[in-house]
Amino acid sequence: MAYNTSKKVVIVGGSLGGLFTGIVFGAGIAFYLMIPPIQEAMKNLGTSGAPIVDFLEQYDGTKTPTLTADGIQYLNKDGSIKFTTGGDGITAQVASWDLLYNILRANFDGGHEAGYVAAPPEMEGDGVANYVSDVRVTDLTEVDELVEVGYESVDGRKGALQADIVIGADGPSSTVRKLLLPEVERTYVGYVTWRGTVKESLLSDETRTLLGTKSCIAFTRGSQVVCYKIPGLKGSLVPGDLFANLVWYQNHDQAELKRILTDSDDVSHKYSLKIGKIDPKVKEEQGKVAAAIFPPQLAEVWQKIESPFIQAITDSLTTKSVFMNEKVFLVGDAVATLRPHTSAGTSQAAMNALFLKKVFDKEGGMSIEEREKTTVGWATFAKKLGVQMGNLSQFGDHPMADNGELSSKM
């Protein structure tokens, strides 16, 4: 299909996947966004192995700097270093979710009210970009050569938009996927991530030195903790302003999941709890567990995180990503929910957007059939690898684990 600047595109989902896709379609198209061994495999699909870097090199007019990291340190329980990788001139770029979102919004529609990344200069041929929040999709219907997207706003107002192309970029619980493939389910896999950040200036000299420019990882049976630095507030890269970002994978059965996802107002949630909503008793319990099983430097980071949040780890995988006579496409987490161990979820979204550009650009050189085979095939591979990594980390005997006599169970 040739690229056509007269097309209107509706992108359902206003997070990173939706913004990646919106930017690559950005010339002469109106948009409405509705909110509600990985690297080698990527290289085999025609990317550098780092699709986010590829994307930003092509489409980021802001040229916003990010943080550089250069390896991994595996820690023993006493805080000593068991094993180190990297450091041979191989580096990676690290951005917080907030910084990447602001970079993409600046490129898509000039940013938002709370944005801090300046928009790049407008270019000849730029299209009209509308970012619409507080609405949810209710139905999709083919109307002649178009797709009609029905929606409802938070105040109950109903409406519809007609588009040449609809993109489902609405995450693991994708409404677009549910409307088209209701049999594809999102399933809990038996463990969660506890996440949080703390300003590095609040940490001891020992902990700041250990973190350095590397990720630190520690395993015990049924638990994995990862900690690394990310840009600070408003993308600051100034030493002292950086955040230590901690991600803690811990096993919880269904009963425990229900308990920890019941917030401080006694409201139950299905997959996540936002910052500031964890029951204080649950937070206190987790503090005791962290003190018992973490290396002391990472235990310090956890104890100084004021408002952690929780995300249940889930699996989902679509069997197809193109619908309604090649007018509706899924991207990112709507295609597959990848385990965080792979560090590939955001990369998947960027890669899917780049492939769509190849399909709709008249010189792109990729057919819809090739895009479908590549998108679903790669997602299937990455999901399988993530399951293997998660099973080893959470339910097996990881070779880097320092189990001692302690259990990560509460």
Side-chain angles (χ1 to χ4, degrees):
M1 184 182 292
Y3 180 76
N4 185 336
T5 57
S6 67
K7 291 182 181 297
K8 179 184 286 185
V9 179
V10 169
I11 301 174
V12 183
S15 190
L16 302 183
L19 290 170
F20 281 131
T21 309
I23 291 167
V24 301
F25 273 117
I29 299 177
F31 294 90
Y32 301 83
L33 272 79
M34 300 186 173
I35 304 297
I38 294 287
Q39 189 174 43
E40 288 302 314
M42 288 177 172
K43 287 181 180 178
N44 291 337
L45 300 179
T47 79
S48 69
I52 300 173
V53 175
D54 293 345
F55 184 94
L56 294 178
E57 286 180 349
Q58 284 185 251
Y59 295 105
D60 178 25
T62 74
K63 304 305 177 189
T64 304
T66 54
L67 199 62
T68 300
D70 65 355
I72 298 172
Q73 297 178 137
Y74 294 91
L75 304 183
N76 292 307
K77 185 180 177 298
D78 63 6
S80 61
I81 298 172
K82 181 191 292 281
F83 186 74
T84 301
T85 67
D88 299 323
I90 300 174
T91 61
Q93 296 308 119
V94 180
S96 64
W97 184 95
D98 182 70
L99 176 57
L100 184 55
Y101 176 82
N102 273 272
I103 290 171
L104 295 178
R105 277 298 300 270
N107 283 281
F108 177 70
D109 65 345
H112 60 118
E113 315 76 51
Y116 51 82
V117 176
E122 291 188 9
M123 304 286 288
E124 184 178 353
D126 281 354
V128 177
N130 293 319
Y131 192 102
V132 181
S133 59
D134 296 326
V135 297
R136 66 181 184 89
V137 171
T138 56
D139 56 79
L140 299 171
T141 309
E142 280 192 275
V143 180
D144 298 324
E145 297 300 313
L146 302 176
V147 177
E148 184 168 281
V149 183
Y151 65 86
E152 182 177 3
S153 64
V154 291
D155 61 5
R157 179 178 55 87
K158 296 183 179 181
L161 296 168
Q162 290 190 346
D164 300 283
I165 299 169
V166 174
I167 308 294
D170 48 342
S173 297
S174 170
T175 298
V176 173
R177 187 187 66 215
K178 194 173 296 182
L179 290 169
L180 299 168
L181 281 178
E183 66 273 19
V184 176
E185 297 182 350
R186 183 181 181 188
T187 57
Y188 175 59
V189 302
Y191 59 100
V192 307
T193 57
W194 301 78
R195 295 174 177 262
T197 60
V198 60
K199 199 172 182 179
E200 68 168 346
S201 61
L202 300 177
L203 300 173
S204 65
D205 291 342
E206 179 188 4
T207 298
R208 287 201 307 271
T209 300
L210 177 72
L211 291 175
T213 57
K214 299 184 185 300
S215 297
C216 291
I217 301 179
F219 293 91
T220 55
R221 189 170 293 112
S223 179
Q224 174 190 358
V225 59
V226 183
C227 190
Y228 53 92
K229 292 180 183 179
I230 60 174
L233 288 174
K234 296 188 175 182
S236 175
L237 302 183
V238 177
D241 288 350
L242 303 178
F243 287 122
N245 183 53
L246 186 140
V247 182
W248 177 9
Y249 301 89
Q250 190 182 32
N251 296 354
H252 293 280
D253 62 24
Q254 287 286 355
E256 291 172 328
L257 180 69
K258 182 177 181 180
R259 184 177 71 87
I260 65 174
L261 289 184
T262 300
D263 66 24
S264 52
D265 297 320
D266 202 33
V267 177
S268 295
H269 301 261
K270 190 170 184 178
Y271 293 123
S272 63
L273 268 189
K274 296 180 180 179
I275 291 173
K277 299 301 291 183
I278 294 176
D279 187 314
K281 292 180 181 178
V282 172
K283 183 184 176 185
E284 182 180 358
E285 291 170 354
Q286 285 303 119
K288 293 177 181 178
V289 176
I293 68 173
F294 282 9
Q297 303 94 328
L298 302 191
E300 179 194 355
V301 174
W302 175 261
Q303 299 299 343
K304 291 181 176 178
I305 294 172
E306 291 187 5
S307 299
F309 63 100
I310 310 170
Q311 292 177 315
I313 303 300
T314 59
D315 284 339
S316 67
L317 177 66
T318 189
T319 54
K320 59 183 296 188
S321 67
V322 183
F323 306 87
M324 291 190 173
N325 296 310
E326 302 178 347
K327 295 191 285 289
V328 178
F329 299 82
L330 300 179
V331 300
D333 289 341
V335 174
T337 308
L338 304 181
R339 304 276 180 103
H341 313 279
T342 65
S343 300
T346 305
S347 294
Q348 174 182 232
M351 185 168 63
N352 291 166
L354 291 171
F355 287 160
L356 278 174
K357 175 64 172 177
K358 289 184 177 182
V359 168
F360 288 98
D361 193 326
K362 58 186 176 183
E363 297 180 358
M366 177 178 273
S367 68
I368 288 179
E369 292 76 16
E370 290 172 317
R371 183 261 176 200
E372 170 74 341
K373 181 179 179 180
T374 301
T375 297
V376 177
W378 187 86
T380 302
F381 160 78
K383 177 183 177 292
K384 180 179 179 180
L385 181 59
V387 170
Q388 292 171 345
M389 295 173 72
N391 286 345
L392 177 60
S393 165
Q394 302 306 123
F395 308 110
D397 290 315
H398 198 283
M400 292 295 175
D402 186 357
N403 292 316
E405 299 299 322
L406 295 167
S407 169
S408 64
K409 290 280 189 181
M410 290 197 294

